[in-house]
Every structure is written in structure tokens, then in C-alpha cells.
Amino acid sequence: MLGFSSMTMGCAQSVQGSAQPVAAATVEQPAGPPQVGTASYYARHFNGRRMANGSRFDPSSDTIAHRTLPFGTVVRVTNLHNGLSATGTVTDRGPWTRGRIVDLSPRIARDIDMIRSGVARVEVVPVVEVAEAAD
């Protein structure tokens, strides 16, 4: 009897262990009002410098500088000239140039195709990622 119960326990464990988790899709939902204005991107001489949150700037990161949004806020930036969007995280303060609402890492600037122009009119929307139930 003891042998039978240990055999069935082993089977029960293997059945439980074989269940595969279902990956949930995420959808970005606006978490605040949009802002429209001019964006620029970090110049090369900022590479490796400390940001306001204490970490060092990496041009391939998803860094966004904003004057008032809390650090860690995920933001969707849309280039209003071409409709391209990218998502980044507020990890720095700025921009300190009059008339600008965000500074972007070069990677984000490339993603929304504003490298050549250097500045772009953008819409900035804080977002949250919400898990979407599987069908």
C-alpha cells in the first residue's frame, strides 16, 4: 500500500508540474492627461554622467527627463509629425531649455525618427500596463 501511495503522489506531482503558465498580454492605458510640446534628445557629452535619480546615463536606455513626473513613471511619447511612438521611463529631471517638455535618450529619439531634426513636436502621455485576460 505504501508503494502504491508513493507512486500516485509522484504522478500527481508530475501532472501539477507540467501545467504551463499562460502568458498574459499587456495593454498600455493612459494614466494621466497628455502634454503636447517640443522634445529634444540627450547630446553625446551626457553619456555616463549621473542623472537626477543617481544612476549613470546610458544612450541606449529608455530614459526620459521630465520636470515634474515622478521617477519611474512610464511615458508614451508620440512624434506628432509622423505618428511614431515609443515608451520610456522618467529617470531624470529636465529639460532646462525653454519651450521643451521632455528630453529623450538617443534610442527613443531614433525610435520616433527625430534624430535628424534634433527636436520634434510630441505628445507625452503617462501610461500603466494592464494585463489583458486571455481569450
Side-chain angles (χ1 to χ4, degrees):
M1 178 111 158
L2 184 60
F4 180 75
S5 88
S6 65
M7 277 184 14
T8 58
M9 278 181 51
C11 292
Q13 287 175 348
S14 65
V15 170
Q16 286 178 344
S18 67
Q20 297 296 318
V22 177
T26 58
V27 177
E28 290 179 356
Q29 298 274 322
Q35 297 176 334
V36 175
T38 303
S40 54
Y41 67 93
Y42 286 81
R44 251 185 220 138
H45 69 270
F46 288 103
N47 295 359
R49 286 194 185 176
R50 289 222 185 264
M51 296 184 292
N53 73 350
S55 64
R56 295 201 179 269
F57 177 69
D58 174 5
S60 64
S61 69
D62 68 348
T63 292
I64 293 178
H66 192 278
R67 286 190 196 114
T68 59
L69 288 173
F71 290 148
T73 302
V74 177
V75 178
R76 183 178 57 244
V77 180
T78 303
N79 183 334
L80 296 177
H81 177 72
N82 59 24
L84 294 174
S85 291
T87 303
T89 305
V90 175
T91 55
D92 200 6
R93 291 292 173 230
W96 305 115
T97 302
R98 186 182 188 113
R100 306 231 174 117
I101 62 169
V102 289
D103 276 335
L104 309 173
S105 69
R107 184 189 64 79
I108 294 174
R110 198 171 9 268
D111 288 349
I112 66 171
D113 196 25
M114 64 171 271
I115 292 289
R116 182 172 287 150
S117 63
V119 295
R121 188 151 173 81
V122 297
E123 178 185 62
V124 175
V125 180
V127 295
V128 292
E129 290 185 351
V130 179
E132 192 172 66
D135 290 336

